[in-house]
Each structure stands twice: as C-alpha cells, then as structure tokens.
Amino acid sequence: MKSAGCLRWIGALAIAGASAFAGPAFAAGADWADVEGRVQYAYYTNDVRALDGILTTLKPMVEEGEKEAPEDLVMRSYFRALTQYRIAQVLAPTKQGDAKKAIDRCHDEADTGVSGLPKIPIGLDETEANRQKRAELYALATACTLSGREMSTLPFFGGGRIGSRIEEAVKLEPKNPRVRLVEALAQFDRAGKDEKEKAAALAKLRAVTQMFEAARAGASSTPEWGAAEAYAFLGRALFDQRDVVAAREALERSLLIAPDYAFPRKLMGQITR
C-alpha cells in the first residue's frame, strides 16, 4: 500500500517553519517528489508565504551563458506552475486580482514546460514519459483556468477560457487520474445550471476518486497530487445537492489523506453545525 505521499506531507510539516522555505534554489536533478510535498502542504494549510518561498527556491541554477537541461526545465516549469495554481486557489476567495496574476503566471509556466518537450516529427510517436509530461502540463494549465472556482458558486473573474487542452490531455493519458479530475471539474464549470450535465460530471468525479485509490495502491510517482482534492470536490458537490451523509464521507476521506487540508475541514464544519 503506497504511503509515500502522506510521508512527504508529514516531512513538509517539519520543514514548514523554516522561514517560508527560504534557501538556495533546487539544483539540477532535484527531488521533485519532495518539492511536490512542500507545495501541497503549503496549499493545504493556505500558507501563501510558504508558496511564495517555494517559488524563490525554484529558480534555475545555471551559470551565465549556459542553458538549463530540458528535463530540469520541464519539471521546474511544471512545479512553478503548480505553485502558482495553489497560490491562485488560496487567494481567489479574498484577493481576486492577485489570484488572476497567479493564474496568468501559471499559464506562462505551463507553456514554458510544454515548449521544453522534444518536438515530435510527423509520423513518429512521443515517448511514454514525454507524453505523460505533456498531458500533465495540459491538465495543469486547465486547472489554472479554474483556480478558486472549482465546485463553487464563485463568479468567473477572468481566468480565461477552458479551451481544448484538457481534451488533448485526455487523449494523451486517458487513465491519468489528475487529467480525469481536471476534466470532471471543467465539466462542472461548463454545466452551469444544467442539472443533467452536473449529474454526469458528478458521476465522473466519483469515478475519478476510484482511479486515485487504484493509483495510491500502486507504485509511487511524481506528480501524484489530486486524491485529497478529488474527495474534497466530491464532498462539495454532494453537499450542494443536500446529500449530507455522502458529503461527510467524502470529506472524511479527503482529510484522512491530507489531515491539514483547510478546504474540506471548513466544509466539514459547515455540515456539522
């Protein structure tokens, strides 16, 4: 049974007090799993200062006149985009202007990551590793557009159109749970007041939680975020439908995966009043 992700978040807790993760930038060949754990813990605890500190550490370490290795460029851009996404999510309810800036920076970082992937000549297939990276970047770019309004009644505040990137991501990695999570969130966003579409999106979100359960039982990978978020968003959707029992179960599962996750904890407080 995989538990590496939870252990990383526990480790991040011990590091979190270190002046918002201030320190030297991550070197080439960095432990990206550790980076992800730090980003996730800061997001779960709504710590924007820590997220800003992580961005500082994620600056490239190359000598003047040198170029960063493509592999490091892609991964660094991905995690800078993920950090901006988390900043936007935390700021969206109270500081929409700053959240919009973070969304724009997230898109820029995702574009940089995609541009760092090898160009594929016509007639040749992309490697499995690069296909996965491309799908993850496309899904993250879509998630950035949805920042702060996932499964909520928050008004649209200029994150941009969802576009076709999530459809491309699904074609590339149809069994990737993060890709499918973002696809479900995008479907909710597009559904508006269409109850039939919302029901279809809810069914898709339920299926996504099972995809994450299967992934968590397998080998550890990077990135691997999304399980706690999937259950939290499912809980939010069920709560909106007044299915309190099912909502509570989903939120409890989210908090079991990430005990410090502020979003489901706040929703749980509303349910138990």
Side-chain angles (χ1 to χ4, degrees):
M1 189 75 172
K2 182 171 64 175
S3 59
C6 292
L7 290 175
R8 287 174 202 142
W9 297 327
I10 293 171
L13 174 60
I15 300 168
S19 185
F21 306 120
F26 287 98
D31 183 351
W32 297 114
D34 180 64
V35 174
E36 181 180 14
R38 295 182 181 199
V39 173
Q40 288 297 100
Y41 182 77
Y43 161 60
Y44 289 151
T45 56
N46 287 340
D47 192 341
V48 174
R49 182 169 174 264
L51 289 166
D52 284 337
I54 293 168
L55 283 175
T56 300
T57 65
L58 284 173
K59 290 181 179 178
M61 284 188 69
V62 292
E63 299 295 333
E64 186 175 351
E66 294 181 356
K67 289 186 177 180
E68 188 172 21
E71 171 71 14
D72 289 327
L73 170 65
V74 172
M75 295 302 289
R76 193 181 304 278
S77 296
Y78 178 88
F79 283 106
R80 285 181 63 85
L82 179 64
T83 306
Q84 294 288 3
Y85 170 46
R86 297 317 194 186
I87 290 172
Q89 286 181 297
V90 174
L91 293 180
T94 57
K95 298 182 178 180
Q96 292 190 354
D98 290 339
K100 172 61 168 61
K101 293 176 183 177
I103 291 172
D104 290 341
R105 289 190 287 264
C106 176
H107 286 147
D108 290 342
E109 293 290 352
D111 288 343
T112 299
V114 170
S115 68
L117 290 169
K119 304 298 184 291
I120 308 302
I122 296 175
L124 296 181
D125 292 330
E126 194 165 27
T127 66
E128 182 178 351
N130 287 334
R131 185 176 67 246
Q132 180 185 8
K133 291 184 178 72
R134 189 179 301 276
E136 293 278 6
L137 284 161
Y138 284 169
L140 182 54
T142 303
C144 291
T145 301
L146 297 167
S147 295
R149 69 180 200 262
E150 305 98 329
M151 314 298 301
S152 78
T153 56
L154 284 172
F156 176 74
F157 58 89
R161 296 175 62 85
I162 292 174
S164 61
R165 277 191 161 185
I166 190 58
E167 285 80 6
E168 289 297 318
V170 171
K171 290 178 183 177
L172 291 167
E173 286 280 299
K175 296 181 179 180
N176 184 313
R178 273 167 304 286
V179 168
R180 290 299 193 178
L181 170 60
V182 177
E183 180 192 33
L185 297 177
Q187 186 168 348
F188 268 106
D189 193 72
R190 288 165 169 159
K193 296 182 179 180
D194 188 324
E195 295 300 326
K196 185 176 180 180
E197 281 297 311
K198 287 168 66 174
L202 179 60
K204 186 172 291 185
L205 189 54
R206 286 185 186 275
V208 167
T209 62
Q210 298 310 303
M211 292 180 70
F212 274 111
E213 291 296 340
R216 281 166 51 78
S220 182
S221 62
T222 304
E224 66 176 9
W225 63 268
E229 291 88 332
Y231 278 107
F233 294 144
L234 176 60
R236 172 60 189 259
L238 292 167
F239 183 47
D240 286 347
Q241 292 189 352
R242 302 296 185 265
D243 190 344
V244 176
V245 173
R248 186 198 302 271
E249 290 177 353
L251 295 173
E252 287 176 346
R253 182 60 181 161
S254 177
L255 289 169
L256 182 64
I257 298 168
D260 297 289
Y261 194 179
F263 177 60
R265 190 168 295 281
K266 181 179 179 181
L267 288 176
M268 187 69 83
Q270 295 175 8
I271 290 175
T272 56
R273 281 177 186 171

